[in-house]
């Protein structure tokens, strides 16, 4: 499941972070001086963004990857609107997580904490703002071995438009997950043979993680002090790579997930013949997910497309690569590193943010979004596919 692509993306991200910002500076450099760290682009919405992390423990089930561990522990990052920015920008990831990511990619000759220096746009532990049950909730799930931090750009942007976003680190599936007491869980599941049974087990585990997080955020004893702002009737899920495949599994397992997006992820557990009637969006690379193009990943989308019985769209992005859909591509674009994509990464990020938000606005807020009806002259790289005829326009 895209393990080689992950390693390639990590190598690129690490290499780009060793370079200095070139002449002319950048928005972050202009704000902070010539020695600024790499940065994420600012959110496009009107709201200031706050963020916090939750350490959650599910005592109802053993950990699926760690033998003898009788409870499932998760780290979850939340992004949300705030009216009280405190001036403390959130850290992108911890130095320990940076060190282990670099080690996993066999990267040497760079500071071990370099990936912890990326400048973000959200304010740590700022007070949530909004009316009670006024904000839709979006759950994000990253690719296999990747930390939740790699979806920060998308999360910040959604929060700036009035969404609560919860990104999950799926413990022992990420290269490194740091808990508040300093413990670091590494990728135990990486050591297991990655056959079909493994991937089925993984997406089932992720669905259980998602349901547990929803229980915590929408239940009577929520751990987060902003949980009262979440509207439990307006919940969606999006994910990248196997995180996108997990959106299907989560929707099949939990009816609270009202809509889903698979971003460039080969689907695993087939949708049953009875179908899935809730809205769903496939968004992926043109060179991988064009219908009728042959064997491989695209055939899983073709299989599941037939059983999506509600609103659905199949969009492919011309010139994108797997890393184009996450922060890895953005950081590479910022410092001029080639990740093999023909599409500039900042443009790819704009597409991901714009089409994701249009989908969520339509299905969680019932706001018409013509962007999803037909190809757009503003985004000519995005092609609408009709799998029944293997045509994309």
């Amino acid at each position: 499941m895209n393990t080689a692509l992950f390693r390639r993306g990590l190598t690129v991200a690490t290499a780009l972070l060793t370079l200095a910002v070139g002449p002319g500076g950048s928005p972050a450099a202009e704000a902070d001086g010539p020695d600024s760290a790499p940065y994420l682009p600012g959110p496009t919405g009107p709201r200031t963004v706050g963020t916090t992390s939750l350490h959650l423990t599910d005592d109802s089930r053993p950990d699926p990857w760690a033998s003898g561990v009788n409870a499932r522990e998760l780290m979850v990052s939340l992004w949300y609107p705030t009216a009280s920015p405190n001036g403390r920008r959130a850290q992108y990831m911890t130095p320990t997580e940076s060190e282990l990511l670099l080690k996993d990619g066999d990267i040497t000759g760079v500071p071990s904490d370099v990936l912890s220096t990326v400048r973000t746009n959200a304010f740590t532990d700022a007070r949530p703002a909004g009316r009670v049950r006024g904000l839709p909730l979006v759950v994000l799930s990253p690719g296999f071995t990747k930390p939740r931090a790699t979806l920060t750009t998308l999360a910040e942007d959604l929060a700036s438009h009035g969404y609560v976003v919860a990104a999950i680190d799926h413990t022992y599936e990420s290269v490194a997950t740091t808990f508040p007491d300093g413990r670091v869980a590494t990728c135990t599941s990486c050591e297991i043979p990655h056959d079909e049974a493994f991937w089925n087990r993984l997406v089932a585990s992720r669905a259980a993680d998602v349901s547990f997080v929803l229980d915590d955020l929408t239940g009577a004893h929520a751990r987060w002090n902003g949980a009262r702002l979440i509207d439990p009737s307006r919940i969606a899920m999006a994910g990248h790579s196997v995180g996108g495949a997990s959106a299907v599994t989560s929707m099949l397992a939990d009816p609270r997930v009202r809509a889903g997006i698979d971003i460039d992820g080969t689907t695993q557990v087939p949708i049953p013949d009875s179908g899935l009637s809730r809205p769903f969006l496939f968004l992926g690379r043109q060179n991988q997910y064009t219908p009728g193009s042959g064997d491989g990943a695209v055939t899983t989308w073709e299989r599941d497309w037939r059983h999506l019985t509600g609103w659905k769209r199949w969009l492919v992005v011309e010139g994108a690569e797997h890393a184009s859909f996450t922060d890895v591509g953005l950081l590479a674009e910022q410092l001029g590193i080639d990740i093999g994509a023909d599409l500039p990464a900042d443009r790819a990020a704009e597409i991901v943010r714009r089409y994701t938000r249009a989908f969520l606005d339509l299905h969680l807020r019932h706001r018409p979004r013509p962007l999803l009806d037909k190809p757009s002259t503003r985004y000519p790289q995005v092609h609408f596919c009709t799998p029944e005829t293997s045509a994309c326009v």
Side-chain angles (χ1 to χ4, degrees):
M1 168 56 68
N2 296 321
T3 302
L5 284 168
F6 162 74
R7 289 184 179 275
R8 178 186 178 192
L10 177 59
T11 301
V12 167
T14 303
L16 68 90
L17 291 172
T18 69
L19 300 181
V21 175
S26 64
E30 291 168 6
D32 294 340
D35 295 325
S36 295
Y39 66 95
L40 301 181
T44 63
R47 313 282 187 89
T48 304
V49 179
T51 186
T52 193
S53 292
L54 300 179
H55 174 209
L56 306 178
T57 302
D58 184 359
D59 294 317
S60 70
R61 59 188 172 118
D63 191 277
W65 310 114
S67 178
V69 177
N70 295 320
R72 178 69 164 159
E73 289 184 87
L74 298 172
M75 291 300 301
V76 179
S77 287
L78 299 175
W79 290 265
Y80 49 85
T82 181
S84 306
N86 53 27
R88 293 183 290 113
R89 300 290 181 114
Q91 188 176 47
Y92 187 67
M93 66 176 64
T94 70
T96 300
E97 290 164 345
S98 174
E99 178 181 359
L100 291 177
L101 278 168
L102 296 176
K103 182 179 179 181
D104 182 69
D106 296 324
I107 306 301
T108 60
V110 298
S112 64
D113 65 347
V114 67
L115 297 177
S116 70
T117 68
V118 177
R119 179 179 169 84
T120 68
N121 301 285
F123 296 93
T124 301
D125 296 329
R127 187 168 66 237
R131 59 182 176 84
V132 175
R133 295 201 169 194
L135 303 180
L137 171 64
V138 182
V139 178
L140 298 182
S141 181
F144 182 59
T145 75
K146 291 191 177 182
R148 63 195 190 276
T150 57
L151 299 175
T152 299
T153 296
L154 176 59
E156 289 181 340
D157 193 64
L158 289 173
S160 78
H161 288 275
Y163 288 89
V164 174
V165 183
I168 304 173
D169 246 11
H170 301 279
T171 314
Y172 301 114
E173 299 172 27
S174 173
V175 171
T177 301
T178 304
F179 292 104
D181 62 4
R183 288 177 297 125
V184 179
T186 55
C187 190
T188 303
S189 64
C190 291
E191 302 169 5
I192 299 173
H194 294 167
D195 54 13
E196 181 178 356
F198 167 82
W199 294 113
N200 290 343
R201 177 182 171 189
L202 185 141
V203 295
S205 172
R206 290 201 173 196
D209 287 348
V210 169
S211 291
F212 170 65
V213 170
L214 293 183
D215 289 345
D216 188 273
L217 290 177
T218 65
H221 304 288
R223 290 276 310 280
W224 180 47
N225 62 5
R228 68 190 183 283
L229 306 180
I230 295 173
D231 181 350
S233 71
R234 293 188 291 164
I235 297 172
M237 179 178 172
H240 176 248
S241 195
V242 75
S246 300
V248 173
T249 316
S250 293
M251 292 179 73
L252 293 172
D254 196 324
R256 292 175 294 181
V257 183
R258 302 303 306 163
I261 306 175
D262 178 353
I263 303 174
D264 212 55
T266 305
T267 53
Q268 301 299 321
V269 177
I271 297 173
D273 292 343
S274 56
L276 179 62
S277 62
R278 280 162 276 160
F280 202 84
L281 170 65
F282 284 125
L283 177 65
R285 290 166 283 165
Q286 184 186 51
N287 62 13
Q288 185 77 21
Y289 290 106
T290 295
S293 59
D295 297 331
V298 67
T299 62
T300 67
W301 285 19
E302 290 170 332
R303 175 200 66 205
D304 288 336
W305 178 262
R306 294 191 293 270
H307 295 137
L308 290 169
T309 60
W311 187 102
K312 59 185 177 180
R313 293 290 185 273
W314 180 321
L315 308 181
V316 293
V317 183
E318 182 180 348
E321 289 296 335
H322 195 55
S324 300
F325 297 94
T326 71
D327 294 351
V328 171
L330 272 169
L331 294 171
E333 172 74 15
Q334 182 189 141
L335 297 181
I337 302 299
D338 182 7
I339 63 168
D342 294 327
L343 180 67
D346 55 352
R347 180 64 164 171
E350 181 184 357
I351 287 170
V352 170
R353 296 200 294 186
R354 189 66 187 86
Y355 279 84
T356 296
R357 180 161 53 85
F359 175 85
L360 296 170
D361 284 349
L362 176 62
H363 296 294
L364 297 187
R365 288 176 161 155
H366 306 293
R367 297 175 180 173
R369 290 294 181 258
L371 183 68
L372 297 171
D373 293 337
K374 60 182 179 180
S376 168
T377 56
R378 183 174 179 180
Y379 300 107
Q381 302 88 357
V382 179
H383 301 278
F384 283 58
C385 296
T386 306
E388 293 82 358
T389 60
S390 298
C392 296
V393 295

